[in-house]
Amino acid sequence: MLSFLPNHTQAGKIWRPAVLPLVLSLSLGVTAHAEVGSADKTLHRKAVVPPITVKGLVVDELGKPIPGATVLVKGNTGVGTATDVNGTYTLTVPEGATTLVISSIGFTAQEVPIDGRTTINVTLATDSKSLKEVVVVGYGTQRRAEVTSAVASVKAEDFNQGGTRNALDLIQGKVAGLSVTRTEGNNPNSSPAIQLRGIVSVNGSLAPLIVIDGIPGGNLDLLQQDDIESFDVLKDGSAAAIYGTRGNAGVILITTKKGKAGPARFDYSTYVQHESVAKRPRFLNAEEWRAYREDPSNPKAGQMQDLGASTDFYNALLNKNNLSQYHNFALSGGNATSNYRASVYYNGADPITIRNWRRQYGGRVSFNQTGLNDMLTAQLDVATNFSKANLLGGNSGDFENALGRNPTQPIFNPDGTYYEEGSTTNPLGRLNQESLKRDQNTTSANGRLALEPIKGLRATAFGSVVRDAQNDNEYREAGSRFSQIGTLNGTPVRGTAYARKRNYLSSSYTFESTLEYNREIHQDHTIRGLVGYSYQYNVAESFEAGNSGFLNDAFQENNLGAGNFLPLGKASLGSAKEDNTLIAFFGRLNYSYKDKYLAQFILRHEGSSRFGANNKYGNFPAVSVGWAISQENFMRDVSFVNLLKLRAGYGVTGNQGIPNYQSLVRLGTGNFYLNDDGVWRQTYGPTNNPNPNLRWERKAEYNAGIDFALFDNRLTGAVDAYYRRTSDLLGNFNTQLPPFVQSTLFTNVGVIDNKGLELTLSGTVMQKKDFRWSMDLVGSTQSNKLVSFSDEVFKTTFLTFGDIGGFGALGPAIRTIEGGPLGSFYGKRYAGLTEDGRWLFYKANGDAVPASQIVPNDDYAYIGNGVPKYYASWNNRFQYKNWDLTLFFRGKFKYDILNLQQVFFGNKVYLPNNVLKDAITRNNDINDALQYSDYYLEPGGFVKLDNVTLGYNFKFVNTPAIRNLRLYLTGRNLLTFTKYRGLDPEVNDTGLAPGIDGRGFYPRTRSFTAGLIVGF
């Protein structure tokens, strides 16, 4: 329980602890009630009372405890406390105190007379007259009532629970229109694929801009789950236009936790997590292999060898005793003029695969101070993350090699060396004879000064530095498979090992200044104006060297000069450096009339060094309006409607997410030539055509939405409809030689359309004395179309993506034509099998013919699409007394998956490599070469029980040391309902090659987490 030090006398002077300010409520208001725990109910006793200890409970109108509510002594804000997780508090009231002030965000603050009572229970009422919930927007905040664009907010209490690998895992399924997909399962050294409102580019950036505490392009490695306060997602163009050339794919604003005025607090959070395989691929085991080898109908029996062992290579790659752990310790406190928060953490990710882990530790410090009679505010944030990662394991190719091996092969030869075959590498040998580790340090520091010389006028200056340093070390022993058969710069290594080192350093420097003016005119008109300047410079450099020819493995990668490939001129050496600059001027104007009629105007004028000399700068305007219908007089008698607001907006954003220097002539190196003076000299030449007209991709977006709150705010939500058109798509197009010096030109041609609907609902389904059931529903639809990718000069009839590769050279899986949807599978149409098991496919005229008679393109057809049409999630939270239970479901619907595991391993022709059991059962009639057709397309829709969390909150009413304590158990990815026969239907659905389940088999896992959260 939090408490304050008593007053102390020193040298005849009285000093008091730091002042704790009154935390005013922000949100809706109705009448509040005070419940008195004493028989004496005189409300205005004036007598002076001696110091007493007051205890009590603070709840909302439904009887639910309010944690974190502030309880202050009126007139002496240095004396106060906060309620614990159970809504209880204990406070020693000094002599002479007469009144308590109780407040919490979202409720009406209440003053309660003490009157000598020792128990004071308070019911705070929801503030229902003004939506004062604060949301973060570009370069500032707004009340929810003022927002006229599509902005979604997720607070800490709504995050996905349990252990997370990446900060964005916390909001997976929580924001309508935002797709967060872990394409490599729980691999701790991978990042999720993220996409907002569909595909916006072909060659530019597809992911939203990440802004962390005001730092554009902030590094997610610096975030731990207990240090994050909220996510605010700017979804439409009218919200994202304030970020100009980086706002095409949307913006995700992440706010970290800061210090608050109040007594010192300590918070500790920890968990342990174990993973198990959710579903493993069903290949032939050794017994089945031997049985099928003896099958007289087996056409490959003569090539299948029984090598005498029974090996489960897949199982050998698993770390069954995995146990990840996480610890975060934070301290915070302060007063009205100075407050702080600091945290340190350790995050050890130990996944399901061997030789694949990540260890992180670091900390974050935030300090805020106000001075000059509250006119000047300073904020300083510093965060750092040290990590060490084993990148060798977790390679999907290892699992492909393992499962494709003859299961009667041994792991070792009789002499103890690893058993190798001709076509693939023994994955156990690779993992034990090679190493690949990364040491990384990421640090950010930012500071903000805000001066408010007169009320309503505020000037800020913000600066930040983000630095990321990586050091990679790789070594392949002399006895490794690579060392035996590999080459370096075309020269065979021949058992002399291989070593490589790589260093990478990137830095980002940002300076931004704003001037904001707020004015209320005659209590009806409110004007907020913002103008600003932004500058960002990014630079990255790398160095890499590799060598072979080592006499032994003694030095490994720590003495590259020991290898004799270096003096022979056969070692590898390389370095690079590149940079880019952004400069912008921007402004925003907000107008409100009686909180009923709202308007927002944005203009950003921005330049990027990445674009041509003739198009360095561009303008990005936006306008949005809102009408709070529920504030109108004619709605006063509609009692069940608490909020009804219409929104409409239009905004233009850009995309400069392309490689640097594309508009300039870049020189590249060629061969060495022997000059007349006997010296070999390097040659140089242009590697691309310059394009001084190169400009950013430009997206124009319309959005219309409705916000509503019904039945005393028990049901709230939003509906949005959007249409966006991205023009001036960037791509490489063929050119004539001459006048051009290279065969392609990177230029702007093409248009993409996207449209969709989004729904967000939150509500209280049931509320009883000790029981509460609340629910959240999020859903969205989206469709897209490549309108064009040609103009009068440059012509492209279609684009291809998703090359299948591998044995058989099956070509690209996806083709997009002008006017057609993105993500469409294009290939042969299955028509059956001949009596001897040969493929039959449909020609364009409908005839069923052998594969040899199918003419590519002429007889091919669009056979499916890998982009889900619908997304949905459903969260249920049940609370009974101190218990809580969360059930979270996610789903994606109406899309196809190309099952490449079936294409390759589901066909007997792949023997004598091992095959799926389907090859000799379901697909046993196939006796033909590998083919790509709609035979291997499967429905990908699914529903997952993605998160189940059971928690218990302990009560510590009479314990001064512990403020709150919570224990919880979480299971993730527990059940999947789907028709898809592969490992997991949640394949990559972002980008231009969605819906392809590759040949790799990185395990999809269930995770089980036990956690503890305690506050002191």
Side-chain angles (χ1 to χ4, degrees):
M1 180 60 61
L2 298 178
S3 60
F4 282 75
L5 296 173
N7 297 333
H8 297 272
T9 303
Q10 189 177 57
K13 297 181 180 179
I14 295 179
W15 64 275
R16 299 180 183 272
V19 176
L20 179 68
L22 171 63
V23 180
L24 296 178
S25 298
L26 304 174
S27 191
L28 304 175
V30 276
T31 308
H33 311 281
E35 298 177 5
V36 208
S38 171
D40 184 358
K41 298 184 179 180
T42 305
L43 297 181
H44 300 289
R45 178 179 295 176
K46 302 295 184 180
V48 174
V49 295
I52 60 173
T53 298
V54 178
K55 300 177 181 179
L57 175 67
V58 180
V59 299
D60 62 17
E61 297 161 296
L62 298 175
K64 179 184 175 183
I66 302 175
T70 304
V71 182
L72 302 174
V73 173
K74 186 176 182 180
N76 188 350
T77 54
V79 179
T81 187
T83 58
D84 62 16
V85 71
N86 304 303
T88 61
Y89 71 92
T90 300
L91 178 64
T92 299
V93 178
E95 180 180 338
T98 61
T99 306
L100 294 182
V101 179
I102 298 94
S103 63
S104 181
I105 293 176
F107 299 90
T108 301
Q110 182 179 335
E111 295 186 6
V112 180
I114 299 173
D115 285 335
R117 292 172 285 152
T118 57
T119 301
I120 299 178
N121 298 326
V122 177
T123 300
L124 292 183
T126 305
D127 183 0
S128 60
K129 292 184 179 178
S130 60
L131 283 172
K132 291 185 178 179
E133 177 195 353
V134 174
V135 298
V136 180
V137 294
Y139 303 100
T141 60
Q142 288 182 348
R143 292 183 299 119
R144 173 61 71 179
E146 299 174 323
V147 174
T148 54
S149 357
V151 180
S153 299
V154 184
K155 307 300 182 184
E157 58 268 23
D158 297 318
F159 292 167
N160 291 321
Q161 301 183 64
T164 57
R165 297 301 193 208
N166 184 282
L168 293 176
D169 294 342
L170 295 169
I171 59 171
Q172 185 180 33
K174 297 290 186 177
V175 177
L178 178 65
S179 175
V180 180
T181 305
R182 276 210 158 271
T183 58
E184 295 185 45
N186 259 7
N187 186 342
N189 297 309
S190 68
S191 298
I194 57 174
Q195 189 169 278
L196 181 63
R197 290 189 167 183
I199 301 167
V200 294
S201 181
V202 173
N203 292 295
S205 174
L206 298 173
L209 171 69
I210 303 295
V211 181
I212 302 175
D213 287 336
I215 304 175
N219 194 310
L220 292 173
D221 285 343
L222 292 168
L223 296 173
Q224 299 296 311
Q225 61 189 55
D226 287 293
D227 293 328
I228 302 174
E229 182 72 29
S230 66
F231 291 81
D232 293 272
V233 183
L234 311 184
K235 297 197 289 185
D236 72 333
S238 66
I242 196 75
Y243 286 100
T245 62
R246 293 168 294 180
N248 255 17
V251 183
I252 299 177
L253 306 170
I254 303 175
T255 304
T256 61
K257 294 179 179 178
K258 302 294 189 294
K260 298 178 181 179
R265 298 172 58 143
F266 300 89
D267 293 277
Y268 173 64
S269 175
T270 184
Y271 68 74
V272 292
Q273 178 173 286
H274 175 73
E275 296 178 37
S276 63
V277 175
K279 182 180 181 181
R280 64 169 289 171
R282 186 62 176 90
F283 276 68
L284 298 180
N285 59 35
E287 290 73 21
E288 293 166 336
W289 174 276
R290 292 186 175 101
Y292 189 62
R293 181 173 179 265
E294 302 300 325
D295 190 329
S297 67
N298 181 1
K300 291 291 191 83
Q303 301 177 41
M304 296 172 64
Q305 301 180 40
D306 184 351
L307 300 173
S310 295
T311 306
D312 187 342
F313 285 97
Y314 182 91
N315 195 58
L317 296 178
L318 300 181
N319 175 17
K320 299 185 194 62
N321 298 318
N322 68 87
L323 192 67
S324 299
Q325 59 177 308
Y326 167 80
H327 306 272
N328 187 298
F329 182 73
L331 53 145
S332 61
N335 55 42
T337 57
S338 299
N339 55 72
Y340 63 90
R341 186 182 187 276
S343 66
V344 293
Y345 63 85
Y346 171 79
N347 193 338
D350 191 18
I352 193 69
T353 53
I354 62 175
R355 307 293 189 271
N356 179 32
W357 44 257
R358 184 179 178 89
R359 314 275 187 263
Q360 298 182 81
Y361 62 93
R364 175 176 290 273
V365 176
S366 175
F367 178 76
N368 299 276
Q369 181 163 313
T370 302
L372 290 180
N373 295 322
D374 294 335
M375 290 190 300
L376 181 64
T377 301
Q379 175 183 310
L380 177 65
D381 298 296
V382 178
T384 189
N385 178 73
F386 297 89
S387 70
K388 190 174 187 68
N390 191 338
L391 305 179
L392 189 66
N395 188 327
S396 62
D398 286 332
F399 286 90
E400 181 182 350
N401 287 341
L403 289 165
R405 297 177 79 82
N406 179 341
T408 69
Q409 286 181 8
I411 296 177
F412 297 99
N413 293 309
D415 62 359
T417 60
Y418 286 96
Y419 181 92
E420 297 288 359
E421 61 181 13
S423 59
T424 61
T425 297
N426 186 323
L428 275 300
R430 190 187 83 84
L431 292 172
N432 288 312
Q433 294 180 310
E434 299 181 11
S435 64
L436 176 58
K437 294 181 180 179
R438 171 174 294 172
D439 289 290
Q440 186 171 356
N441 172 228
T442 307
T443 300
S444 75
N446 62 274
R448 186 187 305 272
L449 284 175
L451 178 65
E452 191 170 359
I454 60 174
K455 184 178 180 180
L457 180 64
R458 181 181 177 89
T460 65
F462 172 83
S464 70
V465 177
V466 181
R467 184 180 185 273
D468 184 31
Q470 300 174 9
N471 181 26
D472 291 354
N473 292 274
E474 182 177 10
Y475 189 73
R476 303 178 183 181
E477 295 177 2
S480 68
R481 175 76 163 170
F482 173 86
S483 185
Q484 299 301 317
I485 65 173
T487 62
L488 176 60
N489 289 334
T491 301
V493 175
R494 300 188 187 283
T496 61
Y498 168 77
R500 180 182 72 96
K501 276 185 171 289
R502 170 185 172 270
N503 295 106
Y504 171 84
L505 176 64
S506 69
S507 299
S508 177
Y509 305 91
T510 302
F511 174 77
E512 295 178 329
S513 60
T514 61
L515 184 65
E516 185 175 7
Y517 181 65
N518 302 330
R519 178 83 181 271
E520 186 177 286
I521 304 173
H522 300 304
Q523 298 182 340
D524 290 338
H525 306 272
T526 302
I527 297 175
R528 297 178 61 187
L530 172 79
V531 294
Y533 166 79
S534 177
Y535 169 88
Q536 188 167 23
Y537 174 69
N538 301 287
V539 59
E541 53 186 304
S542 62
F543 175 84
E544 182 174 346
N547 199 8
S548 288
F550 299 95
L551 294 179
N552 54 54
D553 295 321
F555 296 117
Q556 296 197 354
E557 74 276 9
N558 298 310
N559 188 356
L560 289 182
N564 64 19
F565 273 43
L566 181 62
L568 294 175
K570 298 177 181 179
S572 63
L573 184 67
S575 64
K577 183 176 182 179
E578 57 184 84
D579 63 355
N580 65 82
T581 303
L582 280 173
I583 295 177
F585 302 89
F586 56 88
R588 178 173 58 215
L589 178 65
N590 291 85
Y591 170 75
S592 170
Y593 175 68
K594 292 185 177 182
D595 277 342
K596 289 194 296 185
Y597 310 114
L598 312 163
Q600 175 175 273
F601 306 90
I602 291 174
L603 178 63
R604 184 174 178 109
H605 180 68
E606 185 166 48
S608 171
S609 64
R610 286 178 168 168
F611 297 109
N614 299 333
N615 286 297
K616 287 295 184 188
Y617 282 86
N619 295 316
F620 303 94
V623 59
S624 58
V625 294
W627 177 26
I629 301 175
S630 52
Q631 297 287 342
E632 295 288 358
N633 292 335
F634 60 79
M635 291 292 293
R636 288 182 178 178
D637 294 331
V638 186
S639 58
F640 71 90
V641 176
N642 305 105
L643 167 71
L644 183 62
K645 181 172 70 174
L646 300 181
R647 296 178 280 102
Y650 169 81
V652 177
T653 52
N655 190 344
Q656 59 102 47
I658 59 173
N660 296 314
Y661 316 126
Q662 295 297 301
S663 69
L664 306 175
V665 175
R666 303 189 303 278
L667 291 180
T669 56
N671 295 322
F672 285 88
Y673 284 89
L674 181 64
N675 286 257
D676 293 340
D677 58 4
V679 177
W680 290 86
R681 289 189 172 87
Q682 175 73 65
T683 60
Y684 297 87
T687 61
N688 70 295
N689 292 309
N691 184 2
N693 296 316
L694 190 71
R695 59 190 179 274
W696 45 86
E697 297 178 340
R698 181 181 184 272
K699 185 196 73 184
E701 182 170 8
Y702 299 88
N703 190 95
I706 302 173
D707 298 327
F708 57 88
L710 308 174
F711 312 116
D712 291 330
N713 298 297
R714 289 190 62 170
L715 177 63
T716 63
V719 179
D720 281 276
Y722 66 88
Y723 169 78
R724 46 171 48 172
R725 167 162 285 196
T726 306
S727 56
D728 292 334
L729 295 177
L730 291 164
N732 279 299
F733 294 86
N734 294 328
T735 58
Q736 291 184 346
L737 299 174
F740 291 97
V741 296
Q742 293 291 338
S743 60
T744 62
L745 177 70
F746 195 67
T747 189
N748 299 86
V749 176
V751 175
I752 285 178
D753 278 358
N754 278 284
K755 60 183 178 180
L757 294 171
E758 297 168 350
L759 169 68
T760 301
L761 289 175
S762 297
T764 301
V765 181
M766 184 181 298
Q767 176 68 48
K768 301 294 184 181
K769 179 181 178 181
D770 295 322
F771 177 77
R772 178 186 177 94
W773 174 17
S774 58
M775 178 187 300
D776 301 301
L777 178 66
V778 171
S780 64
T781 72
Q782 72 122 331
S783 62
N784 56 68
K785 180 172 66 175
L786 180 67
V787 178
S788 68
F789 208 61
S790 300
D791 62 11
E792 295 79 7
V793 178
F794 301 101
K795 303 293 182 182
T796 297
T797 56
F798 59 86
L799 302 174
T800 59
F801 308 97
D803 189 73
I804 297 174
F807 176 69
L810 302 181
I814 289 176
R815 189 172 89 159
T816 302
I817 61 171
E818 292 187 327
L822 296 164
S824 293
F825 293 109
Y826 185 74
K828 304 181 187 73
R829 294 175 295 152
Y830 174 69
L833 297 168
T834 64
E835 290 185 359
D836 58 351
R838 303 295 175 180
W839 294 105
L840 292 175
F841 299 107
Y842 288 112
K843 290 186 69 67
N845 62 9
D847 294 340
V849 299
S852 59
Q853 297 182 32
I854 294 294
V855 179
N857 298 326
D858 289 350
D859 294 321
Y860 285 6
Y862 289 94
I863 54 179
N865 193 279
V867 178
K869 301 296 186 295
Y870 309 103
Y871 301 78
S873 64
W874 180 34
N875 187 63
N876 293 269
R877 181 175 174 83
F878 305 92
Q879 295 171 279
Y880 177 71
K881 294 186 177 180
N882 295 344
W883 293 92
D884 60 80
L885 174 66
T886 299
L887 301 176
F888 182 56
F889 296 85
R890 285 192 303 111
K892 301 178 183 181
F893 310 95
K894 295 292 290 182
Y895 67 104
D896 301 297
I897 296 177
L898 173 58
N899 191 336
L900 288 184
Q901 297 158 18
Q902 287 282 339
V903 171
F904 288 88
F905 299 106
N907 189 328
K908 295 192 302 289
V909 74
Y910 211 71
L911 291 166
N913 297 305
N914 200 5
V915 292
L916 290 163
K917 192 173 183 179
D918 278 355
I920 62 171
T921 54
R922 174 179 173 268
N923 302 328
N924 188 52
D925 291 338
I926 300 174
N927 293 302
D928 204 350
L930 303 182
Q931 293 285 350
Y932 159 51
S933 74
D934 58 359
Y935 180 84
Y936 294 110
L937 288 182
E938 301 181 31
F942 70 88
V943 173
K944 285 189 176 187
L945 177 55
D946 202 44
N947 189 301
V948 176
T949 298
L950 177 66
Y952 186 83
N953 298 295
F954 291 84
K955 290 186 177 180
F956 293 96
V957 177
N958 299 314
T959 305
I962 299 178
R963 186 177 74 253
N964 62 274
L965 190 152
R966 170 177 166 81
L967 293 174
Y968 66 89
L969 299 173
T970 296
R972 303 193 70 172
N973 194 29
L974 297 181
L975 293 172
T976 300
F977 306 93
T978 183
K979 294 181 179 179
Y980 182 59
R981 293 193 311 274
L983 295 184
D984 192 335
E986 192 164 17
V987 298
N988 187 14
D989 60 352
T990 65
L992 295 155
I996 299 177
D997 195 357
R999 301 194 309 274
F1001 294 89
Y1002 188 93
R1004 296 302 192 265
T1005 62
R1006 297 185 181 96
S1007 65
F1008 302 91
T1009 306
L1012 166 70
I1013 300 172
V1014 59
F1016 303 98

